Amino acid sequence: MGLTRQYLRYGPAALFGLVASARGNAALVGLRGERGRCVAVPACEHVFVWDTRKGEKVLILKGLKQEVSCLCPSPDGLNLAVGYEDGSIRVFNLLSGEANITFNGHKAAVTALQYDHLGGRLVSGSKDTDVIVWDVINESGLYRLRGHKDAVTQVLFLKEKNLLVTSGKDTLVKWWDLDTQHCFKTLVGHRTEVWGMALISEEKRLITGSADSELRVWDITYIQEVKDPDEPESKKIKESSPGAEGNTEEDETLEMDECPEERLIKCSKVGSIMREGRDRVVTLAADRTGKILACHGTDSVLEVFSVLSEEEIQKKLEKKMKKAKKKAKQNSEEEPERSVELSLQEEIQRVTNIRASSKIKSFDLILSPKGELKIVLLLQNNIIESYNLNLSAQVPQAVRASKITIGGHRSDVRTLAFSSDNIAILSAAAESVKIWNRSTLQCIRTMDCEYALCSLFVPGDRQVIIGTKTGKLQLYDLASGSLMETLNAHDGAVWSIALSPDQRGFVTGGADKCVKFWEFELVKDESSVQKRLSMKHVRVLQLDEDVLCVRYSPNQKLLAVSLLDCTVKIFYVDTLKFFLSLYGHKLPVLCMDISSDGTLIATGSADRNVKIWGLDFGDCHRSLFAHDDSVMYLQFVAKSHLFFTAGKDSKIKQWDADKFEHIQTLEGHHQEVWCLALSPNGDYVVSASHDKSLRLWERTREPLVLEEEREMQREAEYEESVAKEEQPVVAGETQGETGLAGKKTIETIKAAERIMEAIELYREEMAKLKEHKAICKAAGKEVPFPVNPILCAYGNITVSGMPSPELEESLLVLPFSYVPDLLRLFNEYIHLGSEVELLCRALLFLLKIHFGQITSNHMLVTVIENLKKTTISRVSEARDVLGFNMAGLQYLKREIEAKDEVTFFADATDRFEEKKRKRKKKEKMVLAVL
C-alpha cells in the first residue's frame, strides 16, 4: 500500500466587505441602555450590530452555516431572536453575544418572528406554512399551528387577549385562540398575497398590506358574551358586537356572525388608505406605541403615516361639530341631527415620504419620548441609512442622520487581486475600486471607477489597472487615490487582463475579438517635473471570436486565449503564430490558468466541467465535473499543481491536477461566487460573491487526509438524509390544526441513543446486583459491590444532560421497550427529589404518547401507582417552597417600600435620568468650547 498524500487544509479566516445582507430585516436594539442608536442587521450567516452614530460595528453574533432570514429583539432589549434559512431559531444574549437557546421546528426558512409583550413566548412563521409557538423561559416548543397553504409572512401577538394573528402568501389572515390552539376566524378580503400586517390604536385596528397600492383597515371588536341561558347563542354575539360602518365590500370578507364559534372578536373592514407606490408592500410596520405606521414597496420610498389617539380624535370631532353648527347657523338651518364623523384619512394621516438613495429592503422605527421618530433603513445596495423625523414641526421633514457605507461595495465585486507582498487586496465593482489591508480587513482606499471586469497590481504595488465594461483601461495611483490615466483599449468589454512574467507589460482580451499587448513606460507629467507611469499599446492579435480570457505561460513563450466558440487557442508570444487548439468544452471557457512550471493548463467552462490539458501536445489529461453550475474562476496555487475553482453554485473547490482528485470544498458563500484571487505565496484565498460579501480563507497547519474527508462528507450526507425523513407519528394524534413543535434532527436521534445506552447499562447493573446478592447469600457474608467505571466517571445518568428543546423529540423516537425501565427510574429519582420539574415534564410526555400501551400493560400498574404518589407529594413540596419564597420576597419588598416611603426602584430610574441629563449638558458645553 502506497503512502497517502497529505494536503494542508484551508479554513475560513474572515468575512468582510459587507455592511448588511438584503435577505433579512433590520431591527433596532438597545445596547448600553440606549435604544434607537444601535441596529442589528443580517450579514450572511452572522448578525452585525452597528452603532449608527459612529458608523462602527460594535458586536458580531456569530452564526453557523445557514443564512440569516429574520430578526426580532425581545421587549426587554436583552435578547435577539434570529431565524435562519434551514428553519432553526437561535436566541442571542446581546450583552455576552452568545447563543443561549436553539429551537428546531421548521423545515424551511423562518420568515416571521415575534415576541409576546412580556418576552416569555416567541412565535415563528416559516416558508413551510407552519406557525410554532415557543416557550423561551422553559426553552421548549409549546405547539405547532397548521392552516396556511403558503409561506407565512407576518405573525402578531395581541396583548389584550391570548390571541395570535398570522398572514400568508395564500391571501389569508388567520386568527388563532392560543388557549384552545385553533383558528377561529379567517379573513379572506385580499385577492393577492398578504405581505404585511400591523396593529394600531391600542390593538383596536389591524392594517394589512397586499400586492396592490391599498392598505386595508380592519376594526377589531372584542366580544363580551352575555350570560343569558334563554337567549340563542348567535343573538348574544350579535348584540354584543355591533358591526362597524363603511364595510362596502361584502364579498371581500368572510363574516361568521351566525357561527357559534365566534366568541372572541369581530373583525370588519372599515376602508382603505391608498399608498403612493403602485407595487406590492414589502414591509409594513408600526412603532411600539402604535402611533406611527410606515410601509414601503419595491422602490426607494418609505411612506410614513400618523395614527390619531382617542383624545386627538375627540378634539377633531368637537372642532368639526363646531364648524358644522356655525355653517348651519349661517345658512339659517336647523342644527345637524346626525353626529359628525371623521373619515379614515383624517384618523390615519400621511406625515411624509422618505426617499432613500437606493431600493429599500427593510426598515425599523422607534418613537422617542420627546416625539422624535428615528427610522433606520436597510437598502439593497449594502447600505444602512438612519433618519430623524420631528413630528411636532408644522411640515415634518426627514433629516438623514447617518449613512454606513465604508464597509463594502454598492454592487457585486467582479474582480479581485492580491499585491505581490500578500498584504493588500484589490476589489472592484460597478462603481468603485477598494484596497483592503489583509491583516486588519480595513478599507484603506476607495476610488470611483466605471464597471470593472478585470484588474491587476502594477509591479511595485503602487498603481493598479482596471479593465472596464466600456472597453477602457483605467490606471490608478494608490498613494493619492487618484485616476492617473484612462485609455480606450477595446471597442467592447475588457474581459481579461494578464501581467507578463517579465513584468514589463501586460495583455488584454476584449469583446471586440482582439488581444492587445501593452508595455509600461514613464512619461513626463505636465503638472509636475517628475515622470509618471503610463501604458503604451504595442501589438494586436485579431481573432474570429470574442476573447473571454487570456493567460501567459510562465516562460512567456506561449499565450493562451479562450474564445466564445468554446475553444482555447495557444499562440507563440514572439511571432503570434498559432500553436495549439484545445477543444472539448460544450460551452465557452470562462476561466483558465497555467501552472507555475508551464506543463499544465486548466480550463473552467460554463458547461460545469474543468479540463486539465498538457501544454506540450495539447492533450486532455482529465475532464472533471467540478460544479453544479458555471465555473466562474480558476487559479493555480504558486509552485504546485493544486488549483482552486469558484462556481455559480456558491462553492469554492480545491483540486489536485496530478491525481485528478477533489481535495476540499470551501463552503461559506450563499450565492454565486464571481471571482477569487490567491496570494503569491499561496497562504490566502479571497473570494467575492453575489451575496455582497468578501471572504478570506487561510491555509492552516492542519493536515487534510482525503479518506477522512470523504468519510466526514458521507457522515454529513447521512445526517442530512436522517433529518429529511418522515417525522415520527404520535399515537392517537391526527394531522389537524395543531401538532408538536419540534422536529427530528440528528441531535435528537443521538440523544435518544444516549438514553437507550443508559437504560442498557442500568439493566446490566441490576442483573449484576442480583447475582452479587445471591453470591453473598450463599457465602453467608457481605462483599462490596464493584461500581461500574462509567458511572464513576459520569455519575448517575439522567435526562438532565439533554438540551431542553430536544427533550420531547428524543423521547418520541425512543422505542417502547425502554419506557418501563425509564418509568421505574423516574420514580426513584422523583422520590429522591432531584430535578422534579424536568422529570415530571418527561414523565407526562411519555404518558401522553404511550397512553394505550402503558394502560394495557398490567406489569406497569404498580409503577404508575407509585409514580402517582411520589409525583403528587414532591410537586406539592416544590409548590410549597415556591409559595413560601414568593411570600418572603413580597414581604421584603413591602418592608423596603415602607422604609424608603417610595415605590421600589422608582428613584433609581430618576437618578439615571438625572445623570444622563447632566452628561448631555456637559457634552454640549465641551462642544461649545471646542
Side-chain angles (χ1 to χ4, degrees), residues 560-575:
V561 182
S562 158
L563 301 174
L564 199 62
D565 62 0
C566 310
T567 63
V568 175
K569 289 187 165 49
I570 315 290
F571 297 91
Y572 290 105
V573 173
D574 48 1
T575 61

Side-chain angles (χ1 to χ4, degrees), residues 865-922:
E865 283 294 325
N866 291 334
L867 271 168
K868 184 183 171 184
K869 289 174 190 172
T870 49
T871 47
I872 288 169
S873 63
R874 290 296 177 192
V875 169
S876 299
E877 283 175 23
R879 285 175 69 185
D880 291 343
V881 170
L882 195 67
F884 180 81
N885 289 341
M886 283 293 289
L889 288 168
Q890 290 287 342
Y891 172 74
L892 287 171
K893 183 186 170 185
R894 285 196 300 272
E895 284 286 307
I896 293 165
E897 282 180 358
K899 191 178 175 183
D900 295 350
E901 294 180 349
V902 288
T903 312
F904 200 32
F905 290 141
D907 60 333
T909 53
D910 292 342
R911 250 181 272 140
F912 177 76
E913 288 294 325
E914 186 63 34
K915 274 185 184 176
K916 205 172 172 184
R917 226 175 285 121
K918 281 180 181 176
R919 192 171 69 243
K920 281 188 177 177
K921 198 175 180 183
K922 197 176 179 182

Side-chain angles (χ1 to χ4, degrees), residues 22 46 63 89 136 245 268 290 305 342 355 366 430 519 521 708:
H46 307 308
I89 300 162
V136 179
E245 289 179 20
S268 54
F305 299 90
L342 287 181
R355 187 170 289 279
I366 187 168
E519 280 184 1
E521 63 171 356
E708 289 176 9

Side-chain angles (χ1 to χ4, degrees), residues 559-735:
L559 179 73
V561 182
S562 158
L563 301 174
L564 199 62
D565 62 0
C566 310
T567 63
V568 175
K569 289 187 165 49
I570 315 290
F571 297 91
Y572 290 105
V573 173
D574 48 1
T575 61
L576 297 184
K577 282 185 179 177
F578 174 74
F579 172 49
L580 290 170
S581 179
L582 312 177
Y583 55 88
H585 284 290
K586 292 172 186 173
L587 289 169
V589 173
L590 303 176
C591 52
M592 61 182 175
D593 199 17
I594 298 171
S595 62
S596 52
D597 58 3
T599 57
L600 297 174
I601 178 169
T603 58
S605 166
D607 63 7
R608 303 179 289 177
N609 291 314
V610 167
K611 290 183 188 288
I612 300 161
W613 317 75
L615 254 185
D616 42 5
F617 302 111
D619 54 322
C620 181
H621 291 184
R622 186 65 66 92
S623 182
L624 304 167
F625 181 76
H627 290 270
D628 295 330
D629 209 331
S630 302
V631 183
M632 297 304 295
Y633 208 85
L634 185 151
Q635 192 173 346
F636 273 98
V637 179
K639 298 173 186 175
S640 74
H641 281 183
L642 306 178
F643 65 91
F644 281 90
T645 59
K648 273 191 176 180
D649 59 354
S650 76
K651 291 183 176 68
I652 298 163
K653 294 185 180 181
Q654 189 187 12
W655 307 83
D656 187 341
D658 289 333
K659 293 195 169 186
F660 317 118
E661 282 188 312
H662 170 223
I663 299 166
Q664 73 171 122
T665 303
L666 303 178
E667 291 185 355
H669 286 293
H670 301 285
Q671 291 181 47
E672 301 97 318
V673 182
W674 296 125
C675 54
L676 60 83
L678 269 98
S679 61
N681 61 7
D683 283 346
Y684 297 96
V685 180
V686 65
S687 56
S689 167
H690 184 50
D691 61 17
K692 300 281 195 300
S693 70
L694 298 173
R695 286 178 189 266
L696 186 68
W697 313 85
E698 187 179 6
R699 183 159 59 189
T700 62
R701 300 297 108 197
E702 182 192 345
L704 184 147
V705 182
L706 290 180
E707 284 75 12
E708 289 176 9
E709 198 71 11
R710 303 286 178 271
E711 186 63 36
M712 284 163 64
Q713 200 174 340
R714 281 194 292 272
E715 280 178 18
E717 284 171 7
Y718 166 71
E719 288 179 7
E720 202 176 319
S721 66
V722 164
K724 285 179 180 175
E725 284 175 10
E726 285 296 313
Q727 296 295 313
V729 179
V730 181
E733 188 186 84
T734 55
Q735 286 289 319

Side-chain angles (χ1 to χ4, degrees), residues 482-484 522-534:
S482 60
L483 176 65
M484 292 168 66
L522 291 169
V523 295
K524 275 192 177 181
D525 195 354
E526 293 172 5
S527 58
S528 66
V529 183
Q530 291 181 343
K531 288 186 176 182
R532 66 167 179 83
L533 187 77
S534 182

Side-chain angles (χ1 to χ4, degrees), residues 533-552:
L533 187 77
S534 182
M535 304 167 284
K536 184 174 73 173
H537 180 226
V538 183
R539 293 185 293 172
V540 64
L541 173 63
Q542 190 68 43
L543 295 158
D544 299 330
E545 294 285 342
D546 289 15
V547 178
L548 298 177
C549 189
V550 288
R551 287 291 178 268
Y552 272 112

